[in-house]
Amino acid sequence: TILHELRHIKVAMLAASALVALVLAVPVVWAITKQPTLAWTVIGAPLHLPHALQLAKNLGNIPVHLFVRGPANPVFWLGRLPVLDIFEDAMLILGAYAFWHYRQLDRSKLLLGGSFIAVVLLALGGPVSLTILLPLIYITIAAGVFYMLEAWLKMFPNNPAARGVGVAVLIAAVFISCTYQFTNYFVAWQQSPVTHSVFTHKPRQL
């Protein structure tokens, strides 16, 4: 368990981590004492709760933006392309199944809890974007890739040709998916006229 692992961490490391966390927390606490409403911003919650219709809309936008049509925000996204590609969609489903299959493990509980908190914050419409979910999503995708590879190797335990083909196909799929996302962000998004218009500000005439 997590508590069991924490007991094996050296006291010096725990003390150093606590000291760093305390130093980082001091300016945040000081700012909150000066302006208490900042506490809601720090935890990612809105100052005012949305009405039921807006809450449902925010909640529905999460799967839409991930799988169908991305958010209209050129600061972070390229056009209206969905955040995930087809391969990532499939691996996300497999990874979710794998985590559910091993739901008694601490890492599964942590992932589920973190995902639940992120979804709640997105539904409330606080000062957070869909990027808060992406680390958890890609952890799940990685688990899906591992689960698929493990299942393939178990299916052909004594056939090196089939094992090699399966591994090669999976590596190719991961490479294509990474190249697609890399090109979207570092090439297409960077060179998009809409992106330039957002980040380019003309100086004021004196």
Side-chain angles (χ1 to χ4, degrees):
T1 63
I2 296 176
L3 292 177
H4 177 74
E5 295 296 330
L6 287 175
R7 293 192 187 101
H8 290 77
I9 298 177
K10 294 182 179 179
V11 177
M13 185 178 296
L14 286 175
S17 301
L19 181 61
V20 171
L22 181 62
V23 170
L24 294 176
V26 167
V28 177
V29 174
W30 181 83
I32 291 175
T33 58
K34 296 295 183 180
Q35 190 176 349
T37 54
L38 285 177
W40 297 106
T41 304
V42 170
I43 64 175
L47 295 178
H48 306 285
L49 293 177
H51 53 78
L53 185 60
Q54 185 62 45
L55 188 70
K57 182 179 179 181
N58 293 342
L59 195 60
N61 280 338
I62 297 175
V64 171
H65 291 163
L66 288 175
F67 306 115
V68 182
R69 192 180 186 192
N73 187 354
V75 175
F76 298 107
W77 313 110
L78 175 64
R80 301 303 301 272
L81 291 175
V83 177
L84 304 178
D85 57 43
I86 296 176
F87 175 74
E88 291 170 340
D89 294 343
M91 293 302 102
L92 180 63
I93 295 173
L94 273 180
Y97 171 78
F99 275 113
W100 176 254
H101 185 71
Y102 299 103
R103 57 188 178 275
Q104 301 301 327
L105 298 178
D106 287 340
R107 60 175 177 266
S108 299
K109 296 176 182 177
L110 282 174
L111 186 75
L112 180 60
S115 301
F116 176 77
I117 293 173
V119 168
V120 168
L121 292 177
L122 289 171
L124 291 176
V128 294
S129 66
L130 195 60
T131 52
I132 192 176
L133 260 181
L134 292 186
L136 301 173
I137 287 175
Y138 277 101
I139 289 173
T140 307
I141 290 173
V145 173
F146 178 80
Y147 183 84
M148 185 175 184
L149 178 61
E150 185 181 37
W152 182 266
L153 295 180
K154 285 182 179 179
M155 185 179 299
F156 300 99
N158 301 315
N159 190 334
R163 292 164 68 92
V165 169
V167 172
V169 169
L170 192 57
I171 291 175
V174 172
F175 177 78
I176 292 171
S177 178
C178 291
T179 302
Y180 170 78
Q181 296 290 6
F182 182 90
T183 304
N184 276 353
Y185 186 78
F186 290 101
V187 180
W189 175 81
Q190 186 182 32
Q191 298 179 4
S192 171
V194 179
T195 305
H196 288 176
S197 66
V198 171
F199 287 95
T200 302
H201 300 281
K202 294 182 179 180
R204 294 182 178 180
Q205 297 292 333
L206 298 178

